[in-house]
């Protein structure tokens, strides 16, 4: 696109290439999974070549690859990798599915690729190559579906904001990172903000830094800057005064697991935002693919919340900020009850979390897609 930078001067502005959180690679000595190392962003865009399951498990645990939808893809491609490299696929599936406990998509992705692998072997006993190809095809199908879901969520989310905020949702607040780095497409909550930006409606994207691992400051700010979005970072504990100043029109967050009653686990700090949003009469919207709805988890108190090491709080960028031996309460997620959520937007459209029939529908959809694995 050509634009005028100064009278008489024409510059060509190029959009940066889309970020690819992970991709399958057949071009080297045996198949590999290439992962954009999210621990190095924004300083460096570096891909890690992953050829082993213990390595992939460690990359998931260390958050080199992270965010619910892309964890599903990592799980599915991980099973395909094990099959293609002749490792024990059952062992790989077990290790991958349990690498992190909260994001349901991880186990969903593993089950889908492992299901395709087993289904093929049941039909053609001994055809390991065919079974490996079936697992890879399942992972690729998930990847495509995730990209499509992302596009649909962006459109539904934008339309919903118009309805929820009659004066226009021009100032959006988001938490953690929910963009292309967590998705086969442009993401979940951040994809909605991006759609608002492209529609010329976004005046300000407020980006919570997201302590302790700074997914907001390091990753969302990076994606927002790449996309030319007007964004401002804030320390998580500055959100209260921002709401009080009337500077937030809507809150958009993703989800790691949505229980059957609409309770939603997402990055720690989401729940306090929901409380603030309710107090200030601001919509709090969860954006997640229907694969994040877990019909087997009846309510929020049944969601396992990952607890992480003290060092993540007691250190900042590897430098100690607390006395030696300090221990920290460090849950990776918190759970927002349904009554604080204005709407859940999936690729099928928005539903109210307290609308039991709506949630049941979502659960049924999620269940039937899992059962085709
Ligand atoms: C669409 S991503 C939704 C969530 O996965 C995201 O908000 C989040 O909490 C990620 O946590 P992380 O610990 O970085 O994997």
């Amino acid at each position: 696109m050509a634009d005028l930078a100064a009278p008489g001067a024409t510059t060509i502005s190029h959009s940066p290439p889309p970020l690819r959180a992970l991709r399958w690679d057949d071009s080297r000595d045996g198949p590999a999974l290439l992962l954009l190392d999210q621990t190095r962003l924004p300083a460096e865009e570096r891909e890690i070549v992953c050829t082993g399951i213990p390595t992939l498990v460690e990359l998931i645990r260390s958050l080199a690859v992270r965010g619910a939808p892309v964890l599903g893809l990592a799980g599915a491609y991980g099973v395909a990798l094990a099959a293609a490299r002749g490792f024990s696929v059952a062992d790989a599936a077990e290790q991958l599915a349990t690498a992190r406990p909260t994001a349901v998509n991880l186990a969903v992705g593993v089950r889908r690729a492992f299901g395709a692998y087993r289904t093929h072997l049941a039909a053609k006993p001994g055809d390991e190559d065919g079974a490996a190809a079936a697992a890879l095809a399942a992972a690729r199908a998930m990847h495509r579906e995730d990209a499509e879901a992302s596009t649909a969520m962006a459109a539904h989310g934008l339309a919903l904001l118009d309805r929820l905020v009659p004066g226009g949702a021009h100032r959006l607040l988001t938490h953690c990172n929910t963009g292309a780095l967590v998705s086969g497409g442009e993401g979940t909550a951040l994809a909605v903000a991006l759609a608002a930006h492209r529609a010329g409606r976004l005046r300000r994207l407020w980006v919570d830094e997201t302590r302790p691992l700074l997914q907001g400051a390091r990753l969302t700010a990076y994606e927002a800057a790449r996309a030319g979005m007007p964004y401002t970072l804030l320390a998580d504990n500055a959100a209260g005064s921002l709401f009080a100043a009337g500077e937030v029109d809507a809150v958009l967050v993703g989800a790691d697991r949505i229980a059957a009653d609409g309770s939603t686990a997402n990055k720690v700090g989401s729940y306090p935002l929901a409380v603030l949003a309710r107090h200030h009469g601001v919509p709090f919207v969860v954006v997640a693919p229907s694969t994040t709805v877990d019909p087997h988890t009846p309510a929020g108190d049944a969601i396992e919340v990952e607890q992480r090491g003290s060092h993540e709080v007691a250190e900042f960028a590897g430098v100690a900020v607390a006395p030696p031996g300090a221990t920290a309460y460090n849950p990776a997620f918190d759970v927002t009850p349904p009554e604080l959520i204005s709407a859940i937007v999936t690729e099928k459209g928005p539903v109210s979390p307290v609308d039991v029939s709506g949630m049941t529908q979502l659960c049924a959809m999620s269940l039937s897609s899992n059962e085709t694995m």
Side-chain angles (χ1 to χ4, degrees):
M1 176 182 33
D3 60 7
L4 291 180
T10 302
T11 59
I12 308 291
S13 62
H14 298 284
S15 308
L19 287 168
R20 284 196 292 182
L22 87 186
R23 61 196 172 101
W24 183 260
D25 181 39
D26 268 325
S27 68
R28 10 189 127 227
D29 189 16
L33 191 53
L34 304 190
L35 302 168
L36 182 58
D37 185 352
Q38 298 192 31
T39 64
R40 291 183 179 263
L41 291 173
E44 185 183 12
E45 270 183 33
R46 195 159 101 175
E47 278 186 327
I48 304 170
V49 181
C50 177
T51 56
I53 302 308
T55 307
L56 181 55
V57 168
E58 183 44 38
L59 291 169
I60 289 170
R61 291 200 173 123
S62 65
L63 311 194
V65 57
R66 48 150 294 283
V70 94
L71 284 175
L73 302 182
Y77 279 117
V79 169
L81 184 66
R85 286 197 163 257
F87 306 145
S88 162
V89 180
D91 284 356
E94 168 68 21
Q95 288 170 44
L96 288 165
T98 55
R100 292 185 77 192
T102 307
V104 68
N105 300 66
L106 178 57
V108 166
V110 167
R111 281 207 303 273
R112 180 151 168 190
F114 191 33
Y117 172 86
R118 280 186 307 192
T119 302
H120 185 92
L121 278 185
K124 294 193 176 174
D127 181 16
E128 289 288 341
D129 287 350
L136 181 57
R140 287 192 157 132
M142 276 188 78
H143 206 147
R144 277 194 306 277
E145 289 162 20
D146 192 57
E148 287 161 12
S150 174
T151 305
M153 285 184 283
H156 289 306
L158 192 57
L160 177 76
L161 287 179
D162 285 344
R163 294 207 298 278
L164 289 178
V165 189
H170 303 299
R171 299 159 306 171
L172 303 173
L173 187 146
T174 193
H175 191 68
C176 196
N177 170 258
T178 59
L181 291 169
V182 302
S183 166
E186 289 186 325
T188 59
L190 195 59
V192 178
L194 193 54
H197 171 59
R198 288 185 182 137
R201 294 185 217 166
L202 182 69
R203 220 180 291 146
R204 184 64 33 199
L205 179 67
W206 297 112
V207 179
D208 266 6
E209 63 171 353
T210 316
R211 283 281 290 157
L213 296 179
L214 305 181
Q215 287 93 331
R218 293 186 304 103
L219 307 177
T220 300
Y222 179 67
E223 291 202 46
R226 270 179 123 250
M229 299 165 85
Y231 77 93
T232 302
L233 269 177
L234 61 144
D236 299 347
N237 49 8
S241 54
L242 196 64
F243 277 99
E247 290 289 334
V248 183
D249 296 322
V251 179
L252 296 175
V253 297
D256 284 84
R257 188 181 297 246
I258 301 172
D261 72 342
S263 299
T264 295
N266 191 51
K267 177 54 56 193
V268 66
S270 300
Y271 167 57
L273 284 179
V275 174
L276 277 170
R278 176 55 53 93
H279 182 73
H280 291 281
V282 167
F284 180 90
V285 177
V286 171
V287 187
S290 57
T291 46
T292 304
V293 179
D294 178 15
H296 305 295
T297 299
D301 58 5
I303 298 177
E304 184 182 349
V305 171
E306 176 186 2
Q307 299 291 327
R308 295 184 63 90
S310 291
H311 66 282
E312 290 181 349
V313 177
E315 295 173 1
F316 192 85
V319 177
V321 292
T327 56
Y329 169 63
N330 187 20
F333 305 98
D334 57 26
V335 178
T336 300
E339 60 272 19
L340 293 181
I341 298 171
S342 309
I344 295 176
V345 177
T346 76
E347 72 279 14
K348 316 283 181 190
V351 292
S352 159
V354 287
D355 169 359
V356 176
S357 63
M359 284 312 296
T360 308
Q361 262 176 358
L362 277 181
C363 295
M365 286 186 304
S366 175
L367 189 61
S368 63
S369 75
N370 293 351
E371 280 172 350
T372 60
M373 288 173 206

